[in-house]
Amino acid sequence: MTKRVLVTGGTGYIGSHTTVELLEAGYDVVIVDNLSNSERSVLGGIRKITGRTVPFHKVDCGNLARLRRVFARYGFDAVIHFAASKAVGESVEQPLLYYRNNLVSLMNILQLMREFRVPNLVFSSSCTVYGQAEKLPVSEQTPRREATSPYGNTKHICEDIIRDSVAAYPEVHSIALRYFNPIGAHPSAEIGELPRGVPNNLIPFVTQTAAGIRPMLSIFGDDYNTPDGSCIRDYINVRDLAKAHVVAVGRMVDGRMKAPFEVFNVGTGRGVSTLEVVRTFEQVNNLKLIYKIVGRRAGDIEAVWADPAFANKELGWKAETSLEDTLRSAWAWQRHLDAKNKKNQ
Ligand code: UD1
């Protein structure tokens, strides 16, 4: 029988790409999203790519009663819980909003999974739990560090909530995927990242600068202890990341987990500097970016990249798309958005 997956935050950036990959792998998907940081039109993009219409419920995962109705209506084999707030700066300004959103949503999901006997949870975690590690790359054994932002702390605490819940409730299993820096868009350019207002993250800022929406990109610091002085990250193609979720769901529903709670790094294993990203983006898309070097951004860590060996071996998953192709896809998506906006003017 076809397995059905509840995807919370399914109209978001990673959620929409994962929905597409789940559908293409033969799963049924139901999306819940409160549309706080995404748009209903994303469902159209998913339909264009897959030819399938996904049931959508505009529900905030903090609303237990409404979420319960969704669980009661469908039988789920697994939940992928993306729905969360993720802006580091905003979380410093509004910590209670972040703790309430991110922690209560997860607790509601876990409660309903128990009530409705849904055994499998894939959770969106982040490499932010490692902070600035002493040794690079970071493996799953690298100790977690105290978070540098309330956002980061919610990921840390959510992992702990899952660990303790799985230990107490044998009917619940979970895989936490620690994402590095997801970038790029679906090769069809029908879905991609849709930042609201001024983007916080590097790639949407880069593509909006290239499109002339922003006058200039600021590079936050060139005095780090790295080869070119800019920060180093592990940029992972969003579709590759989406596929890691499909593999994780398969591992759970097929009963192939080796422990009731497993954690995997989802990265490429390659550290790339901010300046390298900018240069590669210019090169592969044959354009020039206007940028300047400014001071460091508060809370940024110098360098982090993944040791993905455990995910490669245990999940049989590997990042496949090159940085070049990924940066081409990011630009194609920006042009798609610009064309759509022009048409609507
Ligand atoms: C951070 C978190 C990540 C979280 C994400 C959510 C860490 C290590 N990572 O990613 O867990 O999910 O935020 O938003 O805590 N940069 C510029 N100019 C810009 C924007 C960014 O130079 O205009 C640089 C940053 O200094 C950084 C790199 O680009 O070195 C990537 O930044 P960004 O895309 O914001 O991601 P992280 O801060 O790494």
Side-chain angles (χ1 to χ4, degrees):
M1 236 187 47
T2 308
K3 305 278 187 199
R4 189 180 292 126
V5 182
L6 172 64
V7 177
T8 75
T11 47
Y13 175 43
I14 310 172
S16 57
H17 287 82
T18 300
T19 296
V20 165
E21 297 306 316
L22 284 167
L23 293 170
E24 292 190 336
Y27 289 95
D28 281 341
V29 176
V30 173
I31 292 179
V32 304
D33 201 301
N34 66 0
L35 299 179
S36 63
N37 192 27
S38 62
E39 287 174 16
R40 215 179 263 271
S41 64
V42 171
L43 298 166
I46 294 171
R47 195 166 44 239
K48 272 201 179 149
I49 297 170
T50 63
R52 289 176 65 182
T53 302
V54 181
F56 169 76
H57 298 273
K58 183 172 182 289
V59 169
D60 188 314
C61 293
N63 187 329
L64 182 65
R66 293 205 54 205
L67 197 56
R68 182 179 281 118
R69 271 188 251 147
V70 177
F71 272 80
R73 179 160 166 187
Y74 305 91
F76 296 118
D77 298 284
V79 178
I80 308 183
H81 182 46
F82 292 105
S85 307
K86 60 143 205 165
V88 175
E90 187 184 50
S91 80
V92 175
E93 283 154 24
Q94 302 192 59
L96 288 182
L97 181 76
Y98 271 66
Y99 285 114
R100 186 171 297 116
N101 252 352
N102 293 3
L103 305 188
V104 173
S105 295
L106 172 67
M107 291 191 285
N108 285 346
I109 291 284
L110 285 165
Q111 178 177 334
L112 293 171
M113 286 175 61
R114 295 191 66 213
E115 274 181 40
F116 292 88
R117 303 194 186 286
V118 181
N120 302 310
L121 172 69
V122 178
F123 177 69
S124 298
S125 192
S126 166
C127 70
T128 193
V129 299
Y130 298 117
Q132 182 56 68
E134 274 164 28
K135 219 176 114 235
L136 292 166
V138 293
S139 80
E140 293 79 356
Q141 266 67 54
T142 300
R144 294 183 304 170
R145 286 242 160 138
E146 199 169 320
T148 52
S149 72
Y151 157 76
N153 205 24
T154 67
K155 293 297 172 191
H156 198 120
I157 299 170
C158 281
E159 284 194 359
D160 291 347
I161 291 173
I162 294 172
R163 179 200 61 204
D164 295 344
S165 299
V166 162
Y169 315 128
E171 68 275 23
V172 177
H173 296 167
S174 180
I175 292 180
L177 300 179
R178 291 180 179 156
Y179 313 153
F180 285 70
N181 286 55
I183 62 166
H186 193 270
S188 66
E190 293 294 347
I191 53 172
E193 194 165 3
L194 262 184
R196 291 226 162 134
V198 183
N200 294 308
N201 296 113
L202 178 62
I203 297 305
F205 211 106
V206 163
T207 61
Q208 290 193 6
T209 305
I213 301 168
R214 311 276 155 212
M216 184 179 326
L217 167 74
S218 297
I219 309 264
F220 298 136
D222 68 347
D223 56 351
Y224 285 99
N225 186 20
T226 59
D228 66 20
S230 63
C231 293
I232 292 179
R233 297 287 184 272
D234 185 333
Y235 293 95
I236 162 113
N237 178 279
V238 68
R239 194 184 186 199
D240 286 346
L241 172 59
K243 288 177 184 170
H245 294 78
V246 178
V247 171
V249 167
R251 181 178 176 91
M252 302 186 99
V253 298
D254 296 346
R256 285 185 280 113
M257 291 179 77
K258 298 209 172 133
F261 182 35
E262 295 180 324
V263 176
F264 295 99
N265 280 346
V266 189
T268 67
R270 181 175 164 220
V272 176
S273 78
T274 309
L275 285 166
E276 271 179 271
V277 169
V278 168
R279 247 178 271 122
T280 310
F281 183 85
E282 291 184 320
Q283 218 168 45
V284 300
N285 295 311
N286 198 21
L287 46 79
K288 278 266 162 253
L289 269 178
I290 306 170
Y291 69 89
K292 65 168 182 227
I293 312 279
V294 300
R296 295 180 176 195
R297 182 170 70 177
D300 260 344
I301 61 158
E302 185 167 272
V304 65
W305 67 93
D307 173 354
F310 187 55
N312 296 164
K313 180 168 163 277
E314 271 302 316
L315 293 178
W317 168 91
K318 204 171 183 311
E320 284 168 349
T321 315
S322 67
L323 180 66
E324 285 78 5
D325 282 347
T326 304
L327 291 175
R328 278 189 199 103
S329 74
W331 181 228
W333 165 242
Q334 181 66 51
R335 279 180 306 175
H336 171 94
L337 276 181
D338 294 347
K340 213 160 103 184
N341 287 341
K342 234 183 227 152
K343 224 169 81 187
N344 292 340
Q345 264 167 16

